[in-house]
Amino acid sequence: EAGVAQSPRYKIIEKRQSVAFWCNPISGHATLYWYQQILGQGPKLLIQFQNNGVVDDSQLPKDRFSAERLKGVDSTLKIQPAKLEDSAVYLCASSGAYQETQYFGPGTRLLVL
Amino acid sequence: SQKIEQNSEALNIQEGKTATLTCNYTNYSPAYLQWYRQDPGRGPVFLLLIRENEKEKRKERLKVTFDTTLKQSLFHITASQPADSATYLCASYTDKLIFGTGTRLQVFP
C-alpha cells in the first residue's frame, strides 16, 4: 500500500513570496490533515478535511494560508504572502473513515528568508 | 487551553534497559492518547493508542499506561536497542489531536 505522498520535499523562498504544497493521501482515506511542525515542537493541526469538506480550520491563519481538497482526494496548502515565522515542516496526514490512526507523509520543509 | 507536556527533552539509556517516557495533560479529559515515533526528516509513525477507560496496552516491546487520576501516560520500551533511537511524540485527542513537543531517545550500545 502506497503511503501519503507530498511534494516538494524542500522549498526555500523569500518573505512575501507565495508557496504551495501538494499532498496525495492513501487511496480511499476520507480524512486529510495538514499540520505545521516548527523545529523542536510537535505537529500543530492547521486544517482537517472530511472528503472535500472542511471539518476544522480553527488554527489556520486564514489571512495568509488557504487549503483546498478538490474531488476529495489530493489537497494543496498555500501560503501567500509568506513570513519568516512560517519556516517549518508542513506535514500531511490521512486516515480512513472512523479510524483514529493517522498516517503521515514525509513533510515539506519550508525555509523563508 | 488544552496542553500536553512531555517532561524530558532528551533521554539517554544503555542498550538492553527499559526506556520510560512521560506525558502529562491538564484541565481536560482526552478520549484517548496516542504515541508516535518520528525519525529525522520523516513524518510521525503511529505506535499505540490507549483509551480513557484502559489502564495499559502492549505491543511487542512497547507498553503504554494511562492514569486519568494523575492525568499522565507512561510509554515504555523494554530491552531497548540502538534502532529505537528517535523522537517519541505523545498526542491527546478530544476534538483534534494535540501533540506534545516530543522526547528524543538515544539508546547507546
Side-chain angles (χ1 to χ4, degrees), chain A residues 70-104:
Chain A
L70 300 176
K71 301 180 183 177
V73 182
D74 294 6
S75 177
T76 55
L77 176 70
K78 295 179 183 176
I79 308 175
Q80 181 180 11
K83 292 186 175 182
L84 297 177
E85 58 260 37
D86 298 332
S87 294
V89 176
Y90 290 85
L91 293 162
C92 179
S94 69
S95 63
Y98 311 113
Q99 287 186 358
E100 295 131 339
T101 302
Q102 295 186 22
Y103 297 86
F104 284 82

PDB file of all heavy atoms in Angstrom, chain A residues 70-104:
ATOM      1  N   LEU A  70     -10.004  19.457  -3.682  1.00  0.00           N
ATOM      2  CA  LEU A  70     -10.964  19.262  -4.756  1.00  0.00           C
ATOM      3  C   LEU A  70     -11.167  17.772  -4.996  1.00  0.00           C
ATOM      4  O   LEU A  70     -10.215  16.994  -4.929  1.00  0.00           O
ATOM      5  CB  LEU A  70     -10.461  19.934  -6.025  1.00  0.00           C
ATOM      6  CG  LEU A  70     -10.249  21.456  -5.909  1.00  0.00           C
ATOM      7  CD1 LEU A  70      -9.650  22.014  -7.175  1.00  0.00           C
ATOM      8  CD2 LEU A  70     -11.562  22.152  -5.573  1.00  0.00           C
ATOM      9  N   LYS A  71     -12.400  17.373  -5.237  1.00  0.00           N
ATOM     10  CA  LYS A  71     -12.750  15.980  -5.554  1.00  0.00           C
ATOM     11  C   LYS A  71     -12.446  15.027  -4.401  1.00  0.00           C
ATOM     12  O   LYS A  71     -12.446  13.812  -4.604  1.00  0.00           O
ATOM     13  CB  LYS A  71     -12.039  15.505  -6.827  1.00  0.00           C
ATOM     14  CG  LYS A  71     -12.377  16.338  -8.057  1.00  0.00           C
ATOM     15  CD  LYS A  71     -11.656  15.839  -9.288  1.00  0.00           C
ATOM     16  CE  LYS A  71     -11.962  16.732 -10.479  1.00  0.00           C
ATOM     17  NZ  LYS A  71     -11.230  16.323 -11.684  1.00  0.00           N
ATOM     18  N   GLY A  72     -12.129  15.548  -3.241  1.00  0.00           N
ATOM     19  CA  GLY A  72     -11.967  14.696  -2.075  1.00  0.00           C
ATOM     20  C   GLY A  72     -10.773  13.776  -2.099  1.00  0.00           C
ATOM     21  O   GLY A  72     -10.748  12.772  -1.382  1.00  0.00           O
ATOM     22  N   VAL A  73      -9.762  14.096  -2.930  1.00  0.00           N
ATOM     23  CA  VAL A  73      -8.575  13.234  -2.973  1.00  0.00           C
ATOM     24  C   VAL A  73      -7.351  14.080  -2.623  1.00  0.00           C
ATOM     25  O   VAL A  73      -7.061  14.306  -1.453  1.00  0.00           O
ATOM     26  CB  VAL A  73      -8.427  12.535  -4.340  1.00  0.00           C
ATOM     27  CG1 VAL A  73      -7.210  11.613  -4.346  1.00  0.00           C
ATOM     28  CG2 VAL A  73      -9.683  11.738  -4.658  1.00  0.00           C
ATOM     29  N   ASP A  74      -6.658  14.598  -3.659  1.00  0.00           N
ATOM     30  CA  ASP A  74      -5.474  15.422  -3.434  1.00  0.00           C
ATOM     31  C   ASP A  74      -5.836  16.715  -2.739  1.00  0.00           C
ATOM     32  O   ASP A  74      -6.979  17.190  -2.804  1.00  0.00           O
ATOM     33  CB  ASP A  74      -4.812  15.775  -4.764  1.00  0.00           C
ATOM     34  CG  ASP A  74      -4.251  14.563  -5.469  1.00  0.00           C
ATOM     35  OD1 ASP A  74      -4.474  13.439  -4.979  1.00  0.00           O
ATOM     36  OD2 ASP A  74      -3.589  14.746  -6.503  1.00  0.00           O
ATOM     37  N   SER A  75      -4.808  17.305  -2.113  1.00  0.00           N
ATOM     38  CA  SER A  75      -5.015  18.584  -1.450  1.00  0.00           C
ATOM     39  C   SER A  75      -3.815  19.489  -1.684  1.00  0.00           C
ATOM     40  O   SER A  75      -2.685  19.006  -1.869  1.00  0.00           O
ATOM     41  CB  SER A  75      -5.207  18.378   0.052  1.00  0.00           C
ATOM     42  OG  SER A  75      -5.353  19.619   0.729  1.00  0.00           O
ATOM     43  N   THR A  76      -4.047  20.791  -1.700  1.00  0.00           N
ATOM     44  CA  THR A  76      -2.962  21.764  -1.745  1.00  0.00           C
ATOM     45  C   THR A  76      -3.115  22.743  -0.588  1.00  0.00           C
ATOM     46  O   THR A  76      -4.228  23.101  -0.202  1.00  0.00           O
ATOM     47  CB  THR A  76      -2.944  22.551  -3.063  1.00  0.00           C
ATOM     48  OG1 THR A  76      -4.219  23.159  -3.251  1.00  0.00           O
ATOM     49  CG2 THR A  76      -2.628  21.656  -4.234  1.00  0.00           C
ATOM     50  N   LEU A  77      -1.985  23.140  -0.041  1.00  0.00           N
ATOM     51  CA  LEU A  77      -1.913  24.148   1.007  1.00  0.00           C
ATOM     52  C   LEU A  77      -1.083  25.300   0.458  1.00  0.00           C
ATOM     53  O   LEU A  77      -0.006  25.074  -0.089  1.00  0.00           O
ATOM     54  CB  LEU A  77      -1.243  23.571   2.259  1.00  0.00           C
ATOM     55  CG  LEU A  77      -1.007  24.536   3.426  1.00  0.00           C
ATOM     56  CD1 LEU A  77      -2.325  24.934   4.081  1.00  0.00           C
ATOM     57  CD2 LEU A  77      -0.078  23.909   4.466  1.00  0.00           C
ATOM     58  N   LYS A  78      -1.602  26.509   0.557  1.00  0.00           N
ATOM     59  CA  LYS A  78      -0.909  27.668   0.009  1.00  0.00           C
ATOM     60  C   LYS A  78      -0.652  28.694   1.101  1.00  0.00           C
ATOM     61  O   LYS A  78      -1.487  28.880   2.006  1.00  0.00           O
ATOM     62  CB  LYS A  78      -1.735  28.319  -1.100  1.00  0.00           C
ATOM     63  CG  LYS A  78      -1.930  27.443  -2.309  1.00  0.00           C
ATOM     64  CD  LYS A  78      -2.780  28.133  -3.367  1.00  0.00           C
ATOM     65  CE  LYS A  78      -3.019  27.210  -4.544  1.00  0.00           C
ATOM     66  NZ  LYS A  78      -3.928  27.801  -5.559  1.00  0.00           N
ATOM     67  N   ILE A  79       0.488  29.357   0.990  1.00  0.00           N
ATOM     68  CA  ILE A  79       0.825  30.465   1.879  1.00  0.00           C
ATOM     69  C   ILE A  79       1.107  31.673   0.995  1.00  0.00           C
ATOM     70  O   ILE A  79       1.916  31.611   0.070  1.00  0.00           O
ATOM     71  CB  ILE A  79       2.066  30.170   2.744  1.00  0.00           C
ATOM     72  CG1 ILE A  79       1.934  28.836   3.475  1.00  0.00           C
ATOM     73  CG2 ILE A  79       2.276  31.301   3.748  1.00  0.00           C
ATOM     74  CD1 ILE A  79       3.184  28.429   4.250  1.00  0.00           C
ATOM     75  N   GLN A  80       0.389  32.768   1.287  1.00  0.00           N
ATOM     76  CA  GLN A  80       0.566  33.970   0.471  1.00  0.00           C
ATOM     77  C   GLN A  80       0.112  35.195   1.248  1.00  0.00           C
ATOM     78  O   GLN A  80      -1.091  35.327   1.517  1.00  0.00           O
ATOM     79  CB  GLN A  80      -0.244  33.849  -0.828  1.00  0.00           C
ATOM     80  CG  GLN A  80      -0.105  35.030  -1.766  1.00  0.00           C
ATOM     81  CD  GLN A  80      -0.917  34.870  -3.041  1.00  0.00           C
ATOM     82  OE1 GLN A  80      -1.755  33.970  -3.145  1.00  0.00           O
ATOM     83  NE2 GLN A  80      -0.677  35.718  -4.005  1.00  0.00           N
ATOM     84  N   PRO A  81       1.003  36.106   1.639  1.00  0.00           N
ATOM     85  CA  PRO A  81       2.454  36.064   1.470  1.00  0.00           C
ATOM     86  C   PRO A  81       3.120  35.360   2.650  1.00  0.00           C
ATOM     87  O   PRO A  81       2.583  35.370   3.763  1.00  0.00           O
ATOM     88  CB  PRO A  81       2.817  37.549   1.464  1.00  0.00           C
ATOM     89  CG  PRO A  81       1.818  38.159   2.400  1.00  0.00           C
ATOM     90  CD  PRO A  81       0.548  37.361   2.248  1.00  0.00           C
ATOM     91  N   ALA A  82       4.264  34.777   2.430  1.00  0.00           N
ATOM     92  CA  ALA A  82       4.961  34.064   3.493  1.00  0.00           C
ATOM     93  C   ALA A  82       5.689  35.032   4.424  1.00  0.00           C
ATOM     94  O   ALA A  82       6.147  36.097   4.012  1.00  0.00           O
ATOM     95  CB  ALA A  82       5.973  33.078   2.893  1.00  0.00           C
ATOM     96  N   LYS A  83       5.752  34.634   5.699  1.00  0.00           N
ATOM     97  CA  LYS A  83       6.508  35.379   6.699  1.00  0.00           C
ATOM     98  C   LYS A  83       7.647  34.495   7.209  1.00  0.00           C
ATOM     99  O   LYS A  83       7.608  33.266   7.056  1.00  0.00           O
ATOM    100  CB  LYS A  83       5.605  35.766   7.872  1.00  0.00           C
ATOM    101  CG  LYS A  83       4.541  36.784   7.537  1.00  0.00           C
ATOM    102  CD  LYS A  83       3.797  37.192   8.798  1.00  0.00           C
ATOM    103  CE  LYS A  83       2.807  38.306   8.519  1.00  0.00           C
ATOM    104  NZ  LYS A  83       2.106  38.741   9.743  1.00  0.00           N
ATOM    105  N   LEU A  84       8.615  35.132   7.854  1.00  0.00           N
ATOM    106  CA  LEU A  84       9.753  34.383   8.377  1.00  0.00           C
ATOM    107  C   LEU A  84       9.307  33.273   9.324  1.00  0.00           C
ATOM    108  O   LEU A  84       9.865  32.170   9.308  1.00  0.00           O
ATOM    109  CB  LEU A  84      10.722  35.321   9.119  1.00  0.00           C
ATOM    110  CG  LEU A  84      11.395  36.410   8.292  1.00  0.00           C
ATOM    111  CD1 LEU A  84      12.256  37.294   9.187  1.00  0.00           C
ATOM    112  CD2 LEU A  84      12.227  35.812   7.174  1.00  0.00           C
ATOM    113  N   GLU A  85       8.273  33.571  10.134  1.00  0.00           N
ATOM    114  CA  GLU A  85       7.831  32.589  11.136  1.00  0.00           C
ATOM    115  C   GLU A  85       7.090  31.396  10.529  1.00  0.00           C
ATOM    116  O   GLU A  85       6.706  30.468  11.244  1.00  0.00           O
ATOM    117  CB  GLU A  85       6.945  33.243  12.203  1.00  0.00           C
ATOM    118  CG  GLU A  85       5.706  33.916  11.653  1.00  0.00           C
ATOM    119  CD  GLU A  85       5.868  35.410  11.523  1.00  0.00           C
ATOM    120  OE1 GLU A  85       6.984  35.866  11.177  1.00  0.00           O
ATOM    121  OE2 GLU A  85       4.871  36.123  11.768  1.00  0.00           O
ATOM    122  N   ASP A  86       6.876  31.414   9.213  1.00  0.00           N
ATOM    123  CA  ASP A  86       6.254  30.262   8.555  1.00  0.00           C
ATOM    124  C   ASP A  86       7.272  29.160   8.267  1.00  0.00           C
ATOM    125  O   ASP A  86       6.896  28.074   7.792  1.00  0.00           O
ATOM    126  CB  ASP A  86       5.603  30.679   7.240  1.00  0.00           C
ATOM    127  CG  ASP A  86       4.478  31.683   7.446  1.00  0.00           C
ATOM    128  OD1 ASP A  86       3.855  31.665   8.532  1.00  0.00           O
ATOM    129  OD2 ASP A  86       4.245  32.491   6.535  1.00  0.00           O
ATOM    130  N   SER A  87       8.544  29.424   8.535  1.00  0.00           N
ATOM    131  CA  SER A  87       9.571  28.390   8.347  1.00  0.00           C
ATOM    132  C   SER A  87       9.255  27.205   9.259  1.00  0.00           C
ATOM    133  O   SER A  87       9.190  27.358  10.485  1.00  0.00           O
ATOM    134  CB  SER A  87      10.955  28.951   8.676  1.00  0.00           C
ATOM    135  OG  SER A  87      11.327  29.948   7.761  1.00  0.00           O
ATOM    136  N   ALA A  88       9.055  26.051   8.660  1.00  0.00           N
ATOM    137  CA  ALA A  88       8.601  24.878   9.413  1.00  0.00           C
ATOM    138  C   ALA A  88       8.533  23.705   8.451  1.00  0.00           C
ATOM    139  O   ALA A  88       8.770  23.850   7.249  1.00  0.00           O
ATOM    140  CB  ALA A  88       7.212  25.126  10.017  1.00  0.00           C
ATOM    141  N   VAL A  89       8.193  22.549   8.985  1.00  0.00           N
ATOM    142  CA  VAL A  89       7.859  21.390   8.161  1.00  0.00           C
ATOM    143  C   VAL A  89       6.340  21.296   8.090  1.00  0.00           C
ATOM    144  O   VAL A  89       5.659  21.378   9.123  1.00  0.00           O
ATOM    145  CB  VAL A  89       8.441  20.092   8.751  1.00  0.00           C
ATOM    146  CG1 VAL A  89       8.000  18.886   7.921  1.00  0.00           C
ATOM    147  CG2 VAL A  89       9.967  20.158   8.784  1.00  0.00           C
ATOM    148  N   TYR A  90       5.822  21.151   6.890  1.00  0.00           N
ATOM    149  CA  TYR A  90       4.375  21.027   6.704  1.00  0.00           C
ATOM    150  C   TYR A  90       4.080  19.556   6.400  1.00  0.00           C
ATOM    151  O   TYR A  90       4.531  19.007   5.395  1.00  0.00           O
ATOM    152  CB  TYR A  90       3.900  21.975   5.603  1.00  0.00           C
ATOM    153  CG  TYR A  90       4.005  23.396   6.099  1.00  0.00           C
ATOM    154  CD1 TYR A  90       5.205  24.097   5.991  1.00  0.00           C
ATOM    155  CD2 TYR A  90       2.937  24.016   6.750  1.00  0.00           C
ATOM    156  CE1 TYR A  90       5.337  25.384   6.510  1.00  0.00           C
ATOM    157  CE2 TYR A  90       3.059  25.295   7.275  1.00  0.00           C
ATOM    158  CZ  TYR A  90       4.263  25.964   7.145  1.00  0.00           C
ATOM    159  OH  TYR A  90       4.392  27.227   7.673  1.00  0.00           O
ATOM    160  N   LEU A  91       3.342  18.966   7.297  1.00  0.00           N
ATOM    161  CA  LEU A  91       3.039  17.537   7.231  1.00  0.00           C
ATOM    162  C   LEU A  91       1.597  17.338   6.783  1.00  0.00           C
ATOM    163  O   LEU A  91       0.690  18.018   7.251  1.00  0.00           O
ATOM    164  CB  LEU A  91       3.206  16.893   8.614  1.00  0.00           C
ATOM    165  CG  LEU A  91       4.630  16.847   9.177  1.00  0.00           C
ATOM    166  CD1 LEU A  91       4.590  16.608  10.691  1.00  0.00           C
ATOM    167  CD2 LEU A  91       5.434  15.745   8.505  1.00  0.00           C
ATOM    168  N   CYS A  92       1.424  16.384   5.910  1.00  0.00           N
ATOM    169  CA  CYS A  92       0.093  15.957   5.509  1.00  0.00           C
ATOM    170  C   CYS A  92      -0.142  14.569   6.093  1.00  0.00           C
ATOM    171  O   CYS A  92       0.784  13.742   6.144  1.00  0.00           O
ATOM    172  CB  CYS A  92      -0.014  15.920   3.995  1.00  0.00           C
ATOM    173  SG  CYS A  92      -1.624  15.376   3.375  1.00  0.00           S
ATOM    174  N   ALA A  93      -1.342  14.316   6.553  1.00  0.00           N
ATOM    175  CA  ALA A  93      -1.695  13.001   7.092  1.00  0.00           C
ATOM    176  C   ALA A  93      -3.077  12.619   6.580  1.00  0.00           C
ATOM    177  O   ALA A  93      -3.869  13.486   6.192  1.00  0.00           O
ATOM    178  CB  ALA A  93      -1.677  13.023   8.624  1.00  0.00           C
ATOM    179  N   SER A  94      -3.352  11.326   6.587  1.00  0.00           N
ATOM    180  CA  SER A  94      -4.690  10.878   6.205  1.00  0.00           C
ATOM    181  C   SER A  94      -5.125   9.724   7.093  1.00  0.00           C
ATOM    182  O   SER A  94      -4.289   9.053   7.720  1.00  0.00           O
ATOM    183  CB  SER A  94      -4.742  10.477   4.727  1.00  0.00           C
ATOM    184  OG  SER A  94      -4.011   9.286   4.478  1.00  0.00           O
ATOM    185  N   SER A  95      -6.411   9.533   7.168  1.00  0.00           N
ATOM    186  CA  SER A  95      -6.956   8.402   7.920  1.00  0.00           C
ATOM    187  C   SER A  95      -8.241   7.942   7.246  1.00  0.00           C
ATOM    188  O   SER A  95      -8.916   8.711   6.556  1.00  0.00           O
ATOM    189  CB  SER A  95      -7.228   8.787   9.377  1.00  0.00           C
ATOM    190  OG  SER A  95      -8.203   9.799   9.467  1.00  0.00           O
ATOM    191  N   GLY A  96      -8.551   6.659   7.464  1.00  0.00           N
ATOM    192  CA  GLY A  96      -9.762   6.105   6.903  1.00  0.00           C
ATOM    193  C   GLY A  96     -10.975   6.532   7.702  1.00  0.00           C
ATOM    194  O   GLY A  96     -10.855   7.041   8.819  1.00  0.00           O
ATOM    195  N   ALA A  97     -12.159   6.303   7.172  1.00  0.00           N
ATOM    196  CA  ALA A  97     -13.382   6.672   7.875  1.00  0.00           C
ATOM    197  C   ALA A  97     -13.443   5.932   9.207  1.00  0.00           C
ATOM    198  O   ALA A  97     -13.181   4.735   9.267  1.00  0.00           O
ATOM    199  CB  ALA A  97     -14.590   6.326   7.024  1.00  0.00           C
ATOM    200  N   TYR A  98     -13.739   6.623  10.261  1.00  0.00           N
ATOM    201  CA  TYR A  98     -13.894   6.070  11.614  1.00  0.00           C
ATOM    202  C   TYR A  98     -12.602   5.479  12.156  1.00  0.00           C
ATOM    203  O   TYR A  98     -12.613   4.717  13.104  1.00  0.00           O
ATOM    204  CB  TYR A  98     -15.003   5.012  11.664  1.00  0.00           C
ATOM    205  CG  TYR A  98     -16.282   5.480  11.021  1.00  0.00           C
ATOM    206  CD1 TYR A  98     -16.743   4.896   9.859  1.00  0.00           C
ATOM    207  CD2 TYR A  98     -16.999   6.542  11.562  1.00  0.00           C
ATOM    208  CE1 TYR A  98     -17.901   5.354   9.253  1.00  0.00           C
ATOM    209  CE2 TYR A  98     -18.151   7.007  10.957  1.00  0.00           C
ATOM    210  CZ  TYR A  98     -18.599   6.401   9.808  1.00  0.00           C
ATOM    211  OH  TYR A  98     -19.742   6.855   9.206  1.00  0.00           O
ATOM    212  N   GLN A  99     -11.465   5.808  11.534  1.00  0.00           N
ATOM    213  CA  GLN A  99     -10.180   5.316  12.028  1.00  0.00           C
ATOM    214  C   GLN A  99      -9.474   6.406  12.795  1.00  0.00           C
ATOM    215  O   GLN A  99      -9.459   7.563  12.381  1.00  0.00           O
ATOM    216  CB  GLN A  99      -9.293   4.857  10.866  1.00  0.00           C
ATOM    217  CG  GLN A  99      -9.737   3.550  10.249  1.00  0.00           C
ATOM    218  CD  GLN A  99      -8.753   3.069   9.195  1.00  0.00           C
ATOM    219  OE1 GLN A  99      -7.766   3.735   8.904  1.00  0.00           O
ATOM    220  NE2 GLN A  99      -9.014   1.912   8.630  1.00  0.00           N
ATOM    221  N   GLU A 100      -8.870   6.028  13.904  1.00  0.00           N
ATOM    222  CA  GLU A 100      -8.183   7.014  14.736  1.00  0.00           C
ATOM    223  C   GLU A 100      -6.718   7.151  14.365  1.00  0.00           C
ATOM    224  O   GLU A 100      -6.080   8.130  14.702  1.00  0.00           O
ATOM    225  CB  GLU A 100      -8.318   6.639  16.214  1.00  0.00           C
ATOM    226  CG  GLU A 100      -9.746   6.706  16.710  1.00  0.00           C
ATOM    227  CD  GLU A 100     -10.167   5.456  17.464  1.00  0.00           C
ATOM    228  OE1 GLU A 100      -9.542   4.392  17.276  1.00  0.00           O
ATOM    229  OE2 GLU A 100     -11.128   5.539  18.240  1.00  0.00           O
ATOM    230  N   THR A 101      -6.163   6.169  13.677  1.00  0.00           N
ATOM    231  CA  THR A 101      -4.749   6.217  13.310  1.00  0.00           C
ATOM    232  C   THR A 101      -4.559   7.159  12.140  1.00  0.00           C
ATOM    233  O   THR A 101      -5.247   7.052  11.119  1.00  0.00           O
ATOM    234  CB  THR A 101      -4.242   4.819  12.927  1.00  0.00           C
ATOM    235  OG1 THR A 101      -4.445   3.943  14.021  1.00  0.00           O
ATOM    236  CG2 THR A 101      -2.764   4.875  12.556  1.00  0.00           C
ATOM    237  N   GLN A 102      -3.607   8.071  12.277  1.00  0.00           N
ATOM    238  CA  GLN A 102      -3.262   8.964  11.184  1.00  0.00           C
ATOM    239  C   GLN A 102      -1.940   8.519  10.566  1.00  0.00           C
ATOM    240  O   GLN A 102      -0.996   8.181  11.276  1.00  0.00           O
ATOM    241  CB  GLN A 102      -3.147  10.408  11.689  1.00  0.00           C
ATOM    242  CG  GLN A 102      -4.480  10.955  12.187  1.00  0.00           C
ATOM    243  CD  GLN A 102      -4.422  12.424  12.551  1.00  0.00           C
ATOM    244  OE1 GLN A 102      -3.556  13.170  12.092  1.00  0.00           O
ATOM    245  NE2 GLN A 102      -5.354  12.868  13.367  1.00  0.00           N
ATOM    246  N   TYR A 103      -1.892   8.527   9.250  1.00  0.00           N
ATOM    247  CA  TYR A 103      -0.703   8.142   8.501  1.00  0.00           C
ATOM    248  C   TYR A 103      -0.108   9.413   7.901  1.00  0.00           C
ATOM    249  O   TYR A 103      -0.793  10.113   7.151  1.00  0.00           O
ATOM    250  CB  TYR A 103      -1.059   7.138   7.397  1.00  0.00           C
ATOM    251  CG  TYR A 103      -1.614   5.848   7.946  1.00  0.00           C
ATOM    252  CD1 TYR A 103      -2.973   5.716   8.221  1.00  0.00           C
ATOM    253  CD2 TYR A 103      -0.777   4.763   8.213  1.00  0.00           C
ATOM    254  CE1 TYR A 103      -3.489   4.539   8.754  1.00  0.00           C
ATOM    255  CE2 TYR A 103      -1.289   3.579   8.726  1.00  0.00           C
ATOM    256  CZ  TYR A 103      -2.637   3.479   8.997  1.00  0.00           C
ATOM    257  OH  TYR A 103      -3.137   2.313   9.536  1.00  0.00           O
ATOM    258  N   PHE A 104       1.136   9.663   8.258  1.00  0.00           N
ATOM    259  CA  PHE A 104       1.783  10.916   7.864  1.00  0.00           C
ATOM    260  C   PHE A 104       2.665  10.731   6.629  1.00  0.00           C
ATOM    261  O   PHE A 104       3.290   9.682   6.448  1.00  0.00           O
ATOM    262  CB  PHE A 104       2.657  11.448   9.006  1.00  0.00           C
ATOM    263  CG  PHE A 104       1.872  12.089  10.115  1.00  0.00           C
ATOM    264  CD1 PHE A 104       1.285  11.318  11.095  1.00  0.00           C
ATOM    265  CD2 PHE A 104       1.740  13.464  10.172  1.00  0.00           C
ATOM    266  CE1 PHE A 104       0.552  11.910  12.131  1.00  0.00           C
ATOM    267  CE2 PHE A 104       1.022  14.072  11.204  1.00  0.00           C
ATOM    268  CZ  PHE A 104       0.430  13.289  12.175  1.00  0.00           C
TER     269      PHE A 104
END
